[in-house]
Amino acid sequence: MIEDIPVPIPQKPKRFLDQVREFIRLEGKSYATEVTYLQWIKRYILFHNKQHPKDLGGQHIEQYLNYLCVQCNVSKSTQATALNAIMYLYNKFLKKNIDKIKFKPAVKKVRIPSVFSHDEAMDVIETLNAPYSLLAKLMYGSGLRISEAVRLRVKDIDFKMNYICVRDGKGNKDRTTLLPKTAVNELKKQISIVEKLLLLDKEKGIGPVYMPNQLEKKYPSAGRSIAWQYVFPSEKTSLDPRANVERRHHIYRATVQKNVKHAINRCNINKQVSCHSFRHAFATRLLENKYDLRQIQKLMGHADISTTEVYLHVVEQLGTVVASPID
């Protein structure tokens, strides 16, 4: 199954979860939201021994949220996500208004993210082989999430204006971010590889690239144009579950994560770091260089500035104000 193409559902769904899925799509929610909501709704139903949600109410929601807090020890954000999904199910889909529930809230844990130093980030990037090195360079140099990096299309990179347009980022929002000058030549070489691969796929009869929001019907030939191709295509083709067409999708996140993890180990970096740590390092370097917090918020695509403020904890220069007693 292709990880970010919506799964097919019947025209007149009979299964409850398929009906919820259809409702979410009609409301125009992002596919990531759809997947998250469906996961939590399914867990909620299983927790109550597969009872239909219409036969359950506020006390059952409270029981589940308390279970997540006490038994599962989830974070505050995880519990809030579960609550959002379940309340959406009742208030929106089932039209069963539930507004007052009492539950034990999870304790908020402020965690300072693990961040690469500049030298560590560059060591990992230089250890990686192409195209993973370029992907890591964009995560560090542009602040891209791994999902945003792998989904980049050729048309999203503006070499003349020196920016990258991130489409359908977290929260189903678009934003622009920096295009690192040191990545320009590598990106142009990567796009030339994509052009050659596109020609080979046409010769083999491979279908056009996946296009969202029914754009394939509106622009039938666009799926075979270079502009719509993924910058980082997968080595193998796969079957589109909705159209039953063989296509070449983008490289998988798990593949990138595995290669980055191996590179981190080879560099002997003994921190709890991952692909997302490049994004943390991006924000940290900008704060170290005294860039405005609001500007960083926009580049990162954070809906709430409090999310960006977490990086202030990383760059607090206590050593310049308070000296350690042993020093």
Side-chain angles (χ1 to χ4, degrees):
M1 189 65 69
I2 301 176
E3 60 186 356
D4 55 5
I5 295 182
V7 296
I9 53 175
Q11 287 187 348
K12 295 181 179 180
K14 295 181 179 180
R15 295 175 66 247
F16 178 72
L17 290 180
D18 282 343
Q19 292 172 357
V20 178
R21 193 185 293 276
E22 181 187 47
F23 183 81
I24 292 173
R25 290 182 186 178
L26 288 172
E27 284 222 322
K29 300 286 185 185
S30 70
Y31 185 54
T33 300
E34 175 187 319
V35 171
T36 301
Y37 277 16
L38 264 293
Q39 285 176 345
W40 282 112
I41 291 169
K42 185 176 180 180
R43 291 173 187 173
Y44 171 70
I45 293 171
L46 292 174
F47 176 77
H48 288 295
N49 300 314
K50 300 185 180 180
Q51 293 183 72
H52 198 289
K54 69 180 181 182
D55 299 325
L56 306 174
Q59 67 182 46
H60 299 94
I61 299 173
E62 291 172 5
Q63 289 172 11
Y64 183 61
L65 294 173
N66 286 334
Y67 162 75
L68 290 178
C69 176
V70 178
Q71 301 297 328
C72 301
N73 195 31
V74 300
S75 67
K76 186 174 182 178
S77 61
T78 299
Q79 189 187 46
T81 302
L83 174 62
N84 289 340
I86 296 167
M87 296 306 283
Y88 179 86
L89 171 68
Y90 281 98
N91 294 338
K92 294 283 188 178
F93 179 71
L94 293 173
K95 301 288 192 294
K96 187 176 179 180
N97 193 36
I98 296 176
D99 52 5
K100 292 183 179 180
I101 56 174
K102 295 180 180 179
F103 60 93
K104 182 176 177 59
V107 179
K108 185 177 182 180
K109 299 174 182 177
V110 179
R111 298 189 183 277
I112 298 176
S114 295
V115 178
F116 288 117
S117 69
H118 176 71
D119 289 342
E120 288 171 340
M122 295 310 298
D123 284 347
V124 174
I125 290 169
E126 289 167 8
T127 302
L128 288 162
N129 295 322
Y132 307 107
S133 57
L134 181 54
L135 273 159
K137 189 173 284 189
L138 292 179
M139 287 187 281
Y140 180 39
S142 305
L144 299 181
R145 299 176 177 91
I146 183 172
S147 58
E148 296 166 346
V150 297
R151 287 191 288 108
L152 273 181
R153 302 196 190 231
V154 174
K155 67 182 182 61
D156 298 331
I157 301 171
D158 193 319
F159 290 107
K160 292 184 178 179
M161 298 293 290
N162 291 313
Y163 72 82
I164 293 173
C165 186
V166 180
R167 307 285 181 183
D168 297 324
K170 193 172 183 180
N172 206 22
K173 296 176 182 177
D174 292 354
R175 75 177 191 279
T176 56
T177 188
L178 310 173
L179 171 60
K181 292 180 181 179
T182 55
V184 168
N185 288 336
E186 289 178 73
L187 275 169
K188 288 181 177 179
K189 288 178 182 177
Q190 179 64 21
I191 291 171
S192 69
I193 292 171
V194 174
E195 287 178 315
K196 294 173 183 176
L197 193 58
L198 177 60
L199 290 174
L200 287 173
D201 284 349
K202 286 179 181 178
E203 291 176 5
K204 293 179 180 179
I206 304 299
V209 72
Y210 167 74
M211 297 179 66
N213 307 320
Q214 300 295 313
L215 287 175
E216 190 171 12
K217 293 181 179 179
K218 190 174 182 179
Y219 307 109
S221 61
R224 296 187 183 279
S225 68
I226 184 61
W228 275 95
Q229 303 307 305
Y230 291 111
V231 177
F232 301 101
S234 173
E235 291 183 2
K236 297 179 181 179
T237 57
S238 52
L239 192 67
D240 185 332
R242 301 188 75 179
N244 200 32
V245 173
E246 186 181 3
R247 306 184 193 277
R248 188 176 297 280
H249 205 53
H250 59 66
I251 195 168
Y252 279 76
R253 286 177 294 180
T255 308
V256 181
Q257 290 166 335
K258 182 176 71 175
N259 278 271
V260 169
K261 193 64 180 176
H262 289 333
I264 291 168
N265 291 336
R266 288 197 295 272
C267 292
N268 295 316
I269 298 173
N270 298 314
K271 294 180 181 179
Q272 192 174 348
V273 285
S274 63
C275 287
H276 206 65
S277 301
F278 285 116
R279 179 171 157 86
H280 292 324
F282 169 80
T284 304
R285 295 294 98 75
L286 293 180
L287 279 171
E288 286 173 343
N289 288 304
K290 312 302 179 186
Y291 281 89
D292 181 70
L293 200 63
R294 290 283 181 186
Q295 189 176 18
I296 299 170
Q297 178 192 5
K298 290 182 179 179
L299 292 172
M300 295 287 284
H302 289 155
D304 192 335
I305 197 166
S306 62
T307 308
T308 317
E309 288 172 347
V310 171
Y311 296 104
L312 289 171
H313 295 286
V314 182
V315 296
E316 285 176 339
Q317 300 293 331
L318 289 177
T320 62
V321 180
V322 182
S324 169
I326 201 169
D327 293 333

